[in-house]
């Protein structure tokens, strides 16, 4: 009696799961386009939220944004509450606090000093985290370059809006804390589980705040629509696009391209809000963005050098492959 064996093609391409390591140049280009689309969406959403400030203020916009973020993110991720340890909950509650402080301080700063300036100052946060983890002299020099950029951008003086500047820098500190907390959460919970849980709890915290705020600041339909659009464009859509982009481009490239956000914010502020920046402010933005790019590109170069030793990416096909095939030929 003979047994039939399934036929397996002797040759042919093997389809690998889509990832940054296996992506083709075309797929990486698509990933870059998705990421840039997410950053444009983020800043356009922030500009729409700013349009609702006269009616419901930053508090109202943040409240609606948190609710819309949870409604859009939780059904997709479907996070589980089971099996969470006390440490998991501490990290998630830390994210809840960071989300609230980061968004409220940023939008309060946008109301006072404009979108481009506020978002640029907020980028001091991730820049500080990257420099703190670096030992390269050029990265330390970037600290001075970014500091000069902050001074040129804000031009401290009697007429400066020090509260607005302080709120933007508070948002920067909250973003730095978010990076560190999100890294710790990601090591304990898969995918966007931690982010979705934090969004759910944040929405629960903001519901009573929204009720109390809107009782004294009756919203208009138009303001609620603008705030909801802010939540969709600044949270839900960027999350989805960023996840798709990270399957096509390395995380370090992703971080490098994120540095263009202040430029998008300045452009959105100009086109949508009529917030015109003078040459000195553009120079300050350029210095801070340049600092981010130098630090990010330095990390990219270091990972390229160290990467193959960790991942084996430099050896997918070796000269030994033909000999291995000959040894398996039937005798």
């Amino acid at each position: 009696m003979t047994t039939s064996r399934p036929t397996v093609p002797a040759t042919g391409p093997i389809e690998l799961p889509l990832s940054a390591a296996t992506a083709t140049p075309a797929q990486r280009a698509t990933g870059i386009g998705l990421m840039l689309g997410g950053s444009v969406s983020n800043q356009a959403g922030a500009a729409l939220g700013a349009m609702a400030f006269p009616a419901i203020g930053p508090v109202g916009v943040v409240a609606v944004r948190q609710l819309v973020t949870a409604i859009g993110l939780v059904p997709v991720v479907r996070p589980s509450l089971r099996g969470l340890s006390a440490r998991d909950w501490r990290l998630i509650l830390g994210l809840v606090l960071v989300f609230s402080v980061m968004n409220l301080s940023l939008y309060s700063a946008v109301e006072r000093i404009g979108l481009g300036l506020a978002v640029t100052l907020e980028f001091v946060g991730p820049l500080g985290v990257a420099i703190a983890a670096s030992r390269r002299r050029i990265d330390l020099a970037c600290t001075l370059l970014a500091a000069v950029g902050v001074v040129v951008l804000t031009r401290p003086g009697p007429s400066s809006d020090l509260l607005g500047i302080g709120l933007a820098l508070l948002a920067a500190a909250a973003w730095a804390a978010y990076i560190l907390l999100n890294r710790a959460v990601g090591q304990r919970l898969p995918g966007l589980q931690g982010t979705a849980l934090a969004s759910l709890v944040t929405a629960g915290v903001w519901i009573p705040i929204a009720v109390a705020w809107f009782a004294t600041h009756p919203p208009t339909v138009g303001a609620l629509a603008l705030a909801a659009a802010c939540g969709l464009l600044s949270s839900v859509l960027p999350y989805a696009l960023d996840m798709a982009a990270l399957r096509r481009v390395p995380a370090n490239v992703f971080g490098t391209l994120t540095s263009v956000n202040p430029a998008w914010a300045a452009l959105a502020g100009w086109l949508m809000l009529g917030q015109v920046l003078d040459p000195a402010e553009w120079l300050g933005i350029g210095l801070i963005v340049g600092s981010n790019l130098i630090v990010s590109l330095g990390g990219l170069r270091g990972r390229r050098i160290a990467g193959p030793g960790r991942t084996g990416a430099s050896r997918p096909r070796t000269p030994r492959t033909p000999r291995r095939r000959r040894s398996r030929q039937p005798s």
Side-chain angles (χ1 to χ4, degrees):
M1 181 178 68
T2 60
T3 58
S4 62
R5 293 165 55 182
T7 58
V8 180
T11 60
I14 299 175
E15 293 188 5
L16 299 174
L18 179 60
S19 69
T22 62
T24 64
Q27 289 169 335
R28 289 200 176 192
T30 300
I32 291 172
L34 291 170
M35 200 227 77
L36 293 176
S39 63
V40 170
S41 173
N42 191 357
Q43 303 311 324
L48 290 176
M51 292 179 183
F53 287 168
I56 58 177
V59 174
V61 171
V62 172
V64 174
R65 173 177 172 169
Q66 300 299 343
L67 296 175
V68 170
T69 300
I71 292 171
L73 194 60
V74 171
V76 176
V77 179
R78 292 184 292 181
S80 175
L81 299 175
R82 296 179 181 178
L84 296 176
S85 66
R87 176 170 172 75
D88 294 334
W89 277 113
R90 284 195 296 270
L91 291 172
I92 290 170
L93 292 177
L95 281 178
V96 171
L97 177 62
V98 164
F99 281 156
S100 300
V101 172
M102 181 169 60
N103 289 323
L104 185 57
S105 58
L106 175 64
Y107 283 101
S108 298
V110 169
E111 184 182 38
R112 300 183 69 92
I113 64 175
L115 182 61
L117 274 64
V119 170
T120 303
L121 290 174
E122 188 192 27
F123 259 74
V124 173
L127 176 62
V129 172
I131 290 175
S134 173
R135 296 295 181 267
R136 299 191 319 150
R137 291 181 181 178
I138 190 172
D139 290 345
L140 298 179
C142 287
T143 305
L144 179 60
L145 183 64
V148 172
V150 170
V151 173
V152 172
L153 183 64
T154 59
R155 284 172 288 181
S159 61
S160 298
D161 191 332
L162 297 180
L163 179 57
I165 294 169
L167 287 167
L169 293 176
L170 176 60
W175 193 358
Y178 165 77
I179 291 171
L180 299 175
L181 278 171
N182 201 43
R183 185 181 301 164
V185 170
Q187 292 171 348
R188 301 180 67 87
L189 300 174
L192 286 175
Q193 289 283 315
T195 302
L197 283 170
S199 298
L200 178 62
V201 178
T202 303
V205 170
W206 275 88
I207 286 175
I209 297 174
V211 171
W213 181 261
F214 290 137
T216 56
H217 301 76
T220 64
V221 174
L224 290 177
L226 287 170
C230 172
L232 287 171
L233 294 178
S234 292
S235 292
V236 179
L237 185 58
Y239 277 138
L241 293 177
D242 288 354
M243 286 297 292
L246 282 169
R247 296 181 63 195
R248 294 166 171 83
V249 299
N252 40 28
V253 175
F254 181 92
T256 301
L257 294 175
T258 301
S259 300
V260 303
N261 268 283
W264 294 135
L267 190 61
W270 173 47
L271 293 176
M272 302 175 67
L273 303 174
Q275 297 171 350
V276 180
L277 301 180
D278 60 35
E281 290 170 331
W282 277 109
L283 175 61
I285 290 174
L287 290 172
I288 295 173
V289 170
S291 301
N292 274 278
L293 285 172
I294 292 170
V295 173
S296 299
L297 289 172
L300 173 60
R301 180 185 175 190
R303 283 174 184 152
R304 278 178 176 169
I305 293 172
R310 286 203 325 259
T311 65
S314 63
R315 329 173 211 166
R317 294 183 180 91
T318 67
R320 296 179 184 174
T321 302
R323 276 176 284 191
R324 206 178 287 133
R325 286 179 178 172
R326 282 197 294 268
S327 64
R328 291 181 181 174
Q329 290 176 352
S331 58

